[in-house]
Amino acid sequence: MDLHPLGNFFPNLHSLLFLIFLIADRREGIGVCGWILVSVSFLLVFITFPVSIWACIKVTREYERAVVFRLGRILSKKAKGPGLILILPCTDTFIKVDLRMVTCNIPPQEILTKDAVTTQVDGVVYYRIHSAVSAVANVTDVHSATFLLAQTTLRNVLGTQSLAQILAGREEIAHSIQAILDSATEQWGIKVARVEIKDVRIPVAMQRAMAAEAEAAREARAKVVAAEGEMNASKALKEASMVLAESPAGLQLRYLQTLTTLAAENNSTIVFPLPINMLESLGQKNKGG
């Protein structure tokens, strides 16, 4: 009589192993030979327990994910973690992927703008990995690839803009670069969060020319404002002269008020009052003579 509890289901160990290999082959696709190696690895771990447990248990932090390869294939087609993960020392390897935000500084790029002005533009890109499996399996070095793509995209986008558009529309240009990078790095498991243009450097000669142009524009506006002020003042003086012409006493009072203003200041001005009537009589004599 067979007292083993599994004796009714598996007549011998070979049938059990064959069934395990068949199910494993359908799930993982590593083949029967692969699962023989996995079984041998499990057996070695069991024989050397508990010493082997320190080589099997790995810890991933909250912001990390582990992509486990079993005989060259990604295990379960997804990343493991955070927390404890089990690794078979003989058949499994793993790569840790950091999911935190990464800051990528773009060095100054020599750019020829649409209006043929040479400028140097630098920026910064903020991105993170949202798919650890794609970042490991689809690109050799995801950070280097993103860095080089950001440089190329910055040059290509700014090359289609004029200098005035670059200086005035930094935010719109940054959003455009972000959209291009995000669509290009989606298959790499990258999510571009933000792009900023830090500084736009132009040649010294161009700076002087722009400063001279701005100064000339300011002087032109100042002359226009001064001319408008003179015109308004002349209109006010014309209206005042018409009012004073109707009242000779008002003209005399205005004359005395001017003398009072001059006397209040500490200066060496000498004023000789001359009656207005005398000036009028002199004017009449000149006309009569």
Side-chain angles (χ1 to χ4, degrees), residues 18-286:
F18 179 76
L19 181 59
I20 294 174
F21 293 155
L22 181 61
I23 296 174
D25 183 63
R26 292 180 178 178
R27 290 183 177 180
E28 301 296 338
I30 62 176
V32 175
C33 295
W35 275 99
I36 292 175
L37 296 176
V38 172
S39 301
V40 172
S41 180
F42 270 115
L43 182 61
L44 292 176
V45 171
F46 180 76
I47 293 173
T48 58
F49 187 84
V51 177
S52 60
I53 196 65
W54 300 107
C56 296
I57 295 180
K58 305 295 180 182
V59 178
T60 58
R61 297 180 179 88
E62 183 67 29
Y63 54 83
E64 291 179 337
R65 297 295 183 271
V67 181
V68 181
F69 292 88
R70 176 162 293 173
L71 297 177
R73 291 178 175 269
I74 297 178
L75 189 62
S76 302
K77 302 301 180 182
K78 63 180 181 180
K80 305 294 183 180
L84 294 176
I85 60 174
L86 295 176
I87 301 295
L88 291 179
C90 301
T91 59
D92 293 355
T93 57
F94 71 98
I95 299 176
K96 285 186 179 181
V97 179
D98 197 329
L99 302 183
R100 291 177 293 181
M101 192 72 67
V102 179
T103 303
C104 175
N105 288 318
I106 304 176
Q109 303 293 310
E110 289 283 348
I111 297 171
L112 184 64
T113 62
K114 186 178 180 180
D115 50 354
V117 178
T118 303
T119 61
Q120 288 187 347
V121 183
D122 57 353
V124 59
V125 178
Y126 300 91
Y127 67 92
R128 63 179 180 85
I129 298 176
H130 69 87
S131 176
V133 175
S134 299
V136 171
N138 294 343
V139 62
T140 304
D141 189 347
V142 65
H143 298 291
S144 178
T146 304
F147 174 71
L148 295 176
L149 181 61
Q151 290 184 0
T152 305
T153 305
L154 180 66
R155 289 195 298 266
N156 293 340
V157 172
L158 295 182
T160 61
Q161 306 290 328
S162 64
L163 181 60
Q165 292 174 340
I166 294 175
L167 295 176
R170 293 190 182 186
E171 186 174 356
E172 292 78 6
I173 295 174
H175 287 312
S176 177
I177 296 174
Q178 177 183 349
I180 296 174
L181 287 176
D182 200 17
S183 61
T185 58
E186 179 66 25
Q187 59 182 348
W188 301 345
I190 295 293
K191 176 63 179 177
V192 179
R194 191 178 183 86
V195 177
E196 292 291 342
I197 297 177
K198 294 169 60 178
D199 191 15
V200 179
R201 301 183 182 91
I202 58 178
V204 178
M206 180 61 65
Q207 294 180 13
R208 294 175 181 174
M210 293 175 64
E213 181 182 0
E215 184 178 359
R218 287 194 297 268
E219 290 180 357
R221 289 195 297 268
K223 291 180 180 180
V224 170
V225 172
E228 291 178 354
E230 292 291 338
M231 183 178 63
N232 295 332
S234 63
K235 291 180 180 180
L237 288 175
K238 178 181 178 181
E239 294 177 0
S241 63
M242 294 174 63
V243 173
L244 292 175
E246 296 176 357
S247 177
L251 180 60
Q252 187 68 26
L253 292 175
R254 180 60 181 167
Y255 177 71
L256 295 176
Q257 185 179 3
T258 304
L259 294 179
T260 304
T261 304
L262 293 175
E265 298 178 0
N266 296 324
N267 52 31
S268 58
T269 304
I270 301 175
V271 179
F272 295 96
L274 187 65
I276 301 299
N277 296 333
M278 183 180 297
L279 295 176
E280 292 179 354
S281 63
L282 291 175
Q284 292 177 359
K285 289 182 179 180
N286 292 331

